Amino acid sequence: MLLHFTKDVLPDSVCADFQNLNKLSEQQFHRLIEVLFQFLLEPKEAERFVQLLGEFAGEHGMSAGPLKNLMKSVLLLPQGALKKNLNAEQMKEDLLTLGLGEEKAAHFSQQWGEHSAALSRLAVGQTLMVNQLVDMDWKFGVTVGTSEIQKVGNIFLQLKLVVRKGNSTENVYMELTLPQFYNFLHEMERAKASMECFR
């Protein structure tokens, strides 16, 4: 089974879950996909997602547990599609390959087409949330005495980095040998050169 969103072999249960979606009416399927994309667009609202799935199961005489497991399988597709940057047509092909009916696959892929740009921005935003370096202190030193003869005379560098995490700052301490320091310096120079290319 060739799929765009993953190169891995999927368990049979995933294909079975997609085929089980065919048992839903069009209205039920549309509502379930609406709930799915609502969660994808607001991933921090996991409790709300579970609550909506429970309500959906109750309204339609289903068990909440199997519905949650089914949705875990369904979530694999948009998560993989985001990583591979799939378009709506590729999404539809994967849905059909997984055994979803034509109309339902068309609706899902249409929703994907409408929301994929926002989902990509959201994924990039989460990926690029890094800690900002606020301050840095450093000291060079030489080992003059140790229980190991080989360590005497070694040069080291102690770094204290102050990084901003949200609204607070945190001190991060590091000790580098001279070769580690030169490697670190080289990486920082490469990063600086890369950043200057984007100015």
Side-chain angles (χ1 to χ4, degrees):
M1 178 185 315
L2 285 173
L3 295 164
H4 297 288
F5 83 97
T6 184
K7 300 291 179 230
D8 299 334
V9 176
L10 294 174
D12 292 338
S13 61
V14 173
C15 296
D17 286 336
F18 275 93
Q19 290 162 9
N20 284 333
L21 288 173
N22 289 321
K23 297 175 185 174
L24 299 175
S25 70
E26 290 298 314
Q27 183 183 2
Q28 290 172 331
F29 181 76
H30 286 219
R31 176 66 186 133
L32 199 56
I33 297 309
E34 181 185 327
V35 169
L36 173 75
F37 277 97
Q38 191 176 342
F39 170 65
L40 289 171
L41 291 166
E42 298 175 25
K44 292 182 179 150
E45 297 293 326
E47 285 180 33
R48 176 86 177 121
F49 178 59
V50 171
Q51 178 190 346
L52 288 172
L53 286 179
E55 289 172 9
F56 180 89
E59 288 169 18
H60 301 289
M62 301 175 181
S63 287
L67 181 62
K68 289 175 191 172
N69 288 335
L70 181 137
M71 291 307 283
K72 284 180 188 173
S73 294
V74 174
L75 277 166
L76 293 174
L77 183 60
Q79 290 168 343
L82 271 175
K83 290 177 187 170
K84 304 276 185 178
N85 200 23
L86 299 189
N87 61 33
E89 192 56 40
Q90 291 168 314
M91 174 68 83
K92 185 177 178 184
E93 287 173 20
D94 278 1
L95 288 163
L96 292 170
T97 302
L98 288 165
L100 194 62
E102 178 75 34
E103 288 180 13
K104 290 181 173 138
H107 177 72
F108 194 115
S109 59
Q110 178 205 351
Q111 291 297 307
W112 176 257
E114 290 175 17
H115 297 296
S116 61
L119 291 170
S120 293
R121 280 193 299 276
L122 187 66
V124 167
Q126 290 172 339
T127 304
L128 295 179
M129 287 177 77
V130 293
N131 300 325
Q132 180 185 8
L133 181 63
V134 178
D135 192 18
M136 183 170 94
D137 288 330
W138 53 273
K139 295 179 199 170
F140 273 106
V142 178
T143 308
V144 291
T146 181
S147 61
E148 295 180 43
I149 282 293
Q150 297 93 338
K151 300 268 181 173
V152 176
N154 281 353
I155 299 170
F156 62 89
L157 173 77
Q158 291 178 331
L159 287 176
K160 174 187 164 192
L161 307 174
V162 182
V163 293
R164 179 170 288 127
K165 288 190 173 187
N167 295 331
S168 63
T169 59
E170 182 180 314
N171 294 336
V172 178
Y173 298 94
M174 297 179 357
E175 187 168 295
L176 305 172
T177 63
L178 200 56
Q180 288 172 326
F181 168 71
Y182 283 124
N183 192 28
F184 174 74
L185 184 62
H186 176 68
E187 291 298 321
M188 291 298 105
E189 288 170 347
R190 281 182 51 200
K192 180 183 174 193
S194 296
M195 290 172 70
E196 286 174 352
C197 289
F198 294 113
R199 285 187 183 176

